Amino acid sequence: MKIGITQGDVNGIGYEVIMKALQDMDIIDDLTPIIYGSPKAAAYHRKALNVAQFSLNNINSPEEAHPKRINIITCGDDNIKVELGKSSDAAGMAAFEALESAVRDLSDGKIDAVVTAPINKKNIQSENFHFPGHTEYLEQAAQAPALMLLVAGKLRVGVVAGHVPICQVAQYITEDKILSKLRILNRSLKLDFNIDGPRIAVLGLNPHSGDHGLLGQEEETVIGPAIAKAQAEGICAMGPYPADGLFGSEALGKFDAILAMYHDQGLAPFKALAFTSGVNFTAGLPIIRTSPDHGTAYDIAGQDKADPTSMREAIYLAMDIVRNRSINQELEANRLTTTVETRAERNA
């Protein structure tokens, strides 16, 4: 299994968490890692962190990847200047070039999944990247709607309004958007996580889920009707629930996933519960992408303080989803074959 790993912002902790995660040699036994980035930037971080055992196999394409080595494909200018803890246009360009190369190879089927190291959402902006984050870029690249889904074991939290300013959230939330996200989430839980008959909790938008209209109408006029439509399609969606009440109660464990209305409503409690082990998965796309759930952490870059757990979990989750999709696609193909054969027998 070939997993691409983008370098992210070279001035942040991307290379540190990549190196620390891949030093776990059990990972190398199960996959062929391919870093998309700069060998010189990697060498800079290795020296800064005093990493003794971490060698890279330079290749030009995924076809050349060595199954028992950590491979790297040079993207863009390998002479990128590393300035630890600083934001620079050069670092933004290097992050984009690595991402673009990895997604191209992923779309072409040359690698099985991609794990993205953190980017700086401001310095990566250019004529080629004009998105608020990875999720929106990948939606355009794959030409399919996606769902930002945070995962930590059995805790899975998706959001309707991802990178949307808080002042625009209420206008963004519509029946169609909620229903679209519920369809993506329901399918992903089945296809990517092998959950049969998934149960989804849907959060309200307002405090106390509107308190029967006293604190807002969206639960009754928008969210409730969207849930009813989802149920009519066979999706086991329930709610709307008050966010504070659900995350603080035992009922949390009764659901396979939660759909929050906006970014911080879902991600703040998720990270409070699982910051070091959380993974960001872009659900709904034909391609597979995961990422650690943290940012560039400029304040600790190059100081050997970054925790690699989230990166390691992102790699493992990508591998699990590759396997689960393969199994489910094979089962679906077998079902279709059986259905065709049965129909042919009836018509014989």
Side-chain angles (χ1 to χ4, degrees), residues 292-335:
D293 70 348
H294 56 70
T296 57
Y298 285 148
D299 57 320
I300 60 171
Q303 299 177 36
D304 196 19
K305 294 180 179 180
D307 188 332
T309 305
S310 185
M311 172 59 78
R312 187 180 296 116
E313 291 301 317
I315 295 171
Y316 280 133
L317 181 60
M319 295 167 63
D320 287 343
I321 293 172
V322 170
R323 294 190 189 100
N324 288 341
R325 284 197 183 183
S326 178
I327 292 169
N328 283 302
Q329 287 167 359
E330 183 176 347
L331 289 173
E332 181 63 24
N334 290 339
R335 279 195 293 267

Side-chain angles (χ1 to χ4, degrees), residues 160-312:
V160 176
H163 298 121
V164 177
I166 195 70
C167 64
Q168 299 174 19
V169 167
Q171 292 77 21
Y172 185 90
I173 300 295
T174 65
E175 276 189 45
D176 287 344
K177 285 191 172 68
I178 295 170
L179 186 56
S180 173
K181 300 299 184 182
L182 281 171
R183 287 168 176 158
I184 294 171
L185 181 54
N186 186 62
R187 176 167 171 74
S188 180
L189 291 170
K190 293 178 178 179
L191 179 66
D192 301 324
F193 296 90
N194 272 341
I195 298 173
D196 186 28
R199 294 162 54 89
I200 302 171
V202 182
L203 301 184
L205 174 65
N206 299 293
H208 307 297
S209 205
D211 224 351
H212 303 289
L214 180 65
L215 301 177
Q217 300 292 326
E218 286 83 2
E219 286 74 17
E220 296 182 6
T221 62
V222 179
I223 303 172
I227 293 172
K229 288 182 179 179
Q231 291 172 343
E233 294 181 8
I235 298 172
C236 187
M238 289 167 275
Y241 296 101
D244 58 344
L246 182 64
F247 280 106
S249 72
E250 293 182 358
L252 183 66
K254 297 179 180 179
F255 296 99
D256 300 296
I258 298 165
L259 183 66
M261 288 299 107
Y262 59 94
H263 188 280
D264 283 13
Q265 183 191 50
L267 270 64
F270 175 89
K271 291 189 177 184
L273 294 169
F275 184 76
T276 59
S277 61
V279 178
N280 184 351
F281 167 50
T282 308
L285 302 182
I287 57 177
I288 298 170
R289 172 261 176 173
T290 64
S291 173
D293 70 348
H294 56 70
T296 57
Y298 285 148
D299 57 320
I300 60 171
Q303 299 177 36
D304 196 19
K305 294 180 179 180
D307 188 332
T309 305
S310 185
M311 172 59 78
R312 187 180 296 116

